[in-house]
């Protein structure tokens, strides 16, 4: 199974290094020197990582055969894809691969059916579960432990405890209101 582990950003310096937007919780494993990664678009790869380092909080990678800034800039926005055994699970029991979450049934604590996870949206500050409802609409649920307290892979379900208004706008609570002066 293929897993997107990073997206290549802009070139850094003149020796072929690129910034990388990491999309894995295990960059030391997936983005280590010597790793060979498939790419999207596939015409760019595969790419073998020659070196990696952290500079000002950002991961910088250099690939074999990419020796200058022009070649590095040509890789911008390329997705890096690792081949992962489908049976492999993250070391941390509170972490999940996207493929483990896709198609899980989503229910509230009291058992009310919400829908089924259709995709995971990875945003800079948190991930969102994209849930397809039985009526065809979608709802976005922040993938944080306060709202998604339980993932049960054996039962193929995600239990949610949504705040008022997350699933139904009519139940939203107004935190404050402005008074006209």
């Amino acid at each position: 199974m293929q897993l997107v582990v990073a997206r290549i950003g802009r070139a850094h310096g003149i020796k072929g290094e690129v910034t990388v937007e990491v999309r894995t919780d295990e960059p030391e494993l997936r983005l280590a020197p010597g790793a060979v990664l498939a790419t999207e678009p596939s015409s760019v790869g595969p790419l073998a990582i020659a070196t990696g380092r952290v500079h000002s909080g950002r991961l910088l990678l250099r690939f074999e055969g990419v020796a200058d800034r022009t070649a590095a800039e040509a890789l911008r926005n390329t997705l890096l894809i690792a081949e992962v055994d489908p049976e492999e699970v993250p070391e941390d029991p509170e972490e999940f691969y996207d493929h483990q979450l896709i198609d899980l049934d989503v229910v509230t604590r009291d058992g009310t059916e919400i829908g089924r996870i259709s995709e995971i949206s990875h945003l800079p500050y948190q991930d969102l579960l994209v849930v397809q409802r039985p009526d065809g609409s979608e709802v976005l649920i922040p993938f944080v432990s306060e709202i998604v307290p339980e993932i049960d892979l054996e039962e193929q379900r995600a239990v949610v405890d949504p705040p008022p208004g997350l699933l139904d706008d009519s139940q939203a609570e107004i935190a404050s209101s402005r008074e006209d002066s």
Side-chain angles (χ1 to χ4, degrees):
M1 138 169 292
Q2 295 189 322
L3 181 69
V4 174
V5 293
R7 184 183 65 81
I8 298 175
R10 60 184 174 79
H12 179 84
I14 60 172
K15 297 182 179 177
E17 285 184 312
V18 293
T19 61
V20 177
E21 175 189 310
V22 176
R23 294 189 180 176
T24 176
D25 290 331
E26 303 167 318
E28 64 286 344
L29 174 67
R30 308 275 183 225
L31 301 171
V36 178
L37 303 166
T39 61
E40 179 59 43
S42 58
S43 59
V44 175
L47 293 173
I49 298 174
T51 64
R53 67 186 177 103
V54 176
H55 175 73
S56 297
R58 294 199 61 109
L59 179 61
L60 302 179
L61 296 178
R62 191 174 56 75
F63 300 99
E64 292 178 11
V66 179
D68 61 25
R69 184 177 184 87
T70 303
E73 193 60 41
L75 298 175
R76 191 174 197 158
N77 292 322
T78 298
L79 296 178
L80 298 175
I81 304 167
E83 192 64 39
V84 177
D85 180 349
E87 300 301 314
E88 182 180 328
V89 294
E91 289 179 22
D92 185 341
E94 297 296 314
E95 293 179 3
F96 303 92
Y97 291 136
D98 288 4
H99 72 271
Q100 294 175 293
L101 300 172
I102 300 294
D103 287 334
L104 292 184
D105 291 322
V106 179
V107 297
T108 60
R109 284 188 187 271
D110 66 8
T112 304
E113 180 184 340
I114 304 302
R116 186 171 287 221
I117 299 173
S118 61
E119 70 179 279
I120 315 304
S121 181
H122 299 281
L123 302 176
Y125 297 105
Q126 73 183 21
D127 296 335
L128 293 175
L129 302 177
V130 180
V131 178
Q132 190 79 32
R133 292 180 151 181
D135 67 5
S137 65
E138 285 183 343
V139 63
L140 303 176
I141 298 177
F143 192 28
V144 294
S145 60
E146 294 81 20
I147 298 174
V148 186
E150 181 185 344
I151 297 290
D152 187 339
L153 296 178
E154 299 266 331
E155 295 291 322
Q156 288 290 290
R157 68 184 187 141
V159 177
V160 297
D161 186 12
L166 182 66
L167 302 178
D168 183 353
D169 292 343
S170 68
Q171 296 176 353
E173 295 177 357
I174 299 173
S176 66
S177 62
R178 290 188 220 171
E179 296 179 11
D180 293 348
S181 326

